[in-house]
Amino acid sequence: KQWYQRRVRGWLSPAPWLDEENVVMVCEEGTLTFLVKLNLSSGEREYLYPEKRMCLDVVDQVGPKLLFSFSTLNPLSDVYKQGLSYVDLSTEVELLNLIEVKSSTPTRLSGLQACKHSVLPFTREEREYSGILMRPGSGATNLKTLVVSLHGGPHSISTTAFRGDHFFLSQLGYSVLMVNYTGSLGLGKDSVHTISGNIGDIDVKDVHHAVEEVARDYQHVVLMGGSHGGFLITHLIGQYPDFYKAASIRNPIVNLATFVGVSDMPDWAYLDLRSPLQLLQTPCPLHS
């Protein structure tokens, strides 16, 4: 309950056991991911490396030996390092710093432009949610085009961790907006539960509201995303056909009735629609 109040959600690492009582979890709060050691007997938790105000994730783990990554959206930052660390949690000793990428490393990064990012708060109908705006560097040429990138789930999250596709777009001169709409993780329990029974409504309106707030500075807005992100995009291009100029949709959910019968996760449809009867009443987003 306390974690929900702090807007924290988590999942177990690939091989989470440190010993018979302790596990390592990857947790989300806001737009960051971090590592937590959790004692299953006492409930006590310890935040690992809280000084790293960037996104951490477990790559591999064998007992107390942990290989984890740390990154931010801009791999050329002078402030944040990017890379991998191999540590022994039983002795709290860093065994090896495998990779460290900094802007002072000129050999492979000399042709790349540093980008900027900011976390944006949004409010709609008294519900708070967030977005991440990634802007290209000073040498960019397509400063009037905004790419809106939508995560799937819907119970997932866009974070400030490095993403190659977003960084690639920034190098081409595009700005990228990631929206953590209602239902995203890292926004608290109420957000997760509110979206159930309201997919295609609350989440679509959240995204479009956020885009309208940001798009004042841009001439063209395009969409990209998959799974539930693709589901949202089909709604957005159908409901606002004159607003969005292009869309790239990956494995979208466009027919919830048939989705139940052919998907490997039919429970998702029942959960987020709340009632099986709604399956027969919910139109395809392309025709709504």
Side-chain angles (χ1 to χ4, degrees):
K1 183 178 179 180
Q2 292 177 348
W3 279 28
Y4 269 133
Q5 291 172 346
R6 291 192 61 233
R7 301 186 170 192
V8 175
R9 290 294 302 274
W11 65 91
L12 294 175
S13 59
W17 294 97
L18 295 175
D19 49 45
E20 294 182 354
E21 293 186 337
N22 294 283
V23 296
V24 171
M25 297 182 68
V26 181
C27 295
E28 304 147 335
E29 183 171 8
T31 57
L32 294 175
T33 57
F34 51 93
L35 305 181
V36 171
K37 181 170 73 172
L38 177 65
N39 188 297
L40 299 181
S41 298
S42 66
E44 294 181 358
R45 62 185 182 273
E46 176 187 350
Y47 293 85
L48 305 176
Y49 310 104
E51 72 280 0
K52 292 182 181 291
R53 299 299 295 171
M54 60 187 80
C55 290
L56 281 65
D57 199 2
V58 174
V59 177
D60 200 4
Q61 178 183 346
V62 179
K65 293 183 172 62
L66 179 68
L67 178 65
F68 70 92
S69 65
F70 49 95
S71 69
T72 186
L73 284 171
N74 180 16
L76 306 180
S77 170
D78 290 314
V79 179
Y80 299 116
K81 298 177 182 178
Q82 324 279 319
L84 295 171
S85 283
Y86 184 41
V87 298
D88 189 333
L89 296 180
S90 62
T91 59
E92 298 184 355
V93 172
E94 184 176 50
L95 302 176
L96 185 64
N97 192 331
L98 296 177
I99 302 174
E100 185 175 302
V101 179
K102 296 187 291 187
S103 60
S104 58
T105 307
T107 53
R108 296 184 180 181
L109 306 179
S110 58
L112 300 179
Q113 293 286 333
C115 57
K116 304 174 183 178
H117 77 269
S118 54
V119 177
L120 307 176
F122 300 110
T123 302
R124 194 183 69 81
E125 295 183 352
E126 299 183 351
R127 284 189 304 273
E128 297 179 355
Y129 59 106
S130 67
I132 304 168
L133 180 61
M134 186 175 179
R135 296 179 181 272
S138 57
T141 57
N142 298 310
L143 295 176
K144 294 301 181 181
T145 300
L146 175 67
V147 178
V148 180
S149 178
L150 301 178
H151 68 72
H155 309 305
S156 182
I157 186 175
S158 291
T159 70
T160 52
F162 175 75
R163 278 191 54 170
D165 53 347
H166 291 166
F167 186 72
F168 175 73
L169 287 170
S170 77
Q171 296 306 296
L172 297 178
Y174 297 103
S175 294
V176 180
L177 174 65
M178 296 155 271
V179 182
N180 288 317
Y181 45 85
T182 299
S184 302
L185 299 181
L187 299 175
K189 178 178 65 175
D190 290 342
S191 174
V192 171
H193 290 174
T194 297
I195 196 65
S196 295
N198 293 295
I199 60 168
D201 179 22
I202 290 177
D203 43 6
V204 173
K205 292 174 181 175
D206 281 355
V207 171
H208 190 66
H209 171 75
V211 173
E212 285 186 315
E213 290 290 311
V214 176
R216 300 187 184 101
D217 299 329
Y218 299 90
Q219 293 179 352
H220 308 291
V221 182
V222 301
L223 298 161
M224 61 176 282
S227 190
H228 191 79
F231 169 81
L232 294 178
I233 292 173
T234 59
H235 274 282
L236 289 164
I237 60 177
Q239 295 179 31
Y240 310 99
D242 296 327
F243 187 89
Y244 298 100
K245 302 303 181 184
S248 174
I249 309 172
R250 186 184 70 255
N251 62 293
I253 300 167
V254 294
N255 191 317
L256 291 167
T258 57
F259 178 84
V260 172
V262 300
S263 171
D264 60 348
M265 45 182 284
D267 51 322
W268 173 88
Y270 290 119
L271 171 66
D272 282 335
L273 283 171
R274 290 216 174 154
S275 170
L277 294 177
Q278 285 185 264
L279 290 172
L280 302 179
Q281 301 168 359
T282 303
C284 170
L286 292 175
H287 300 287
S288 60

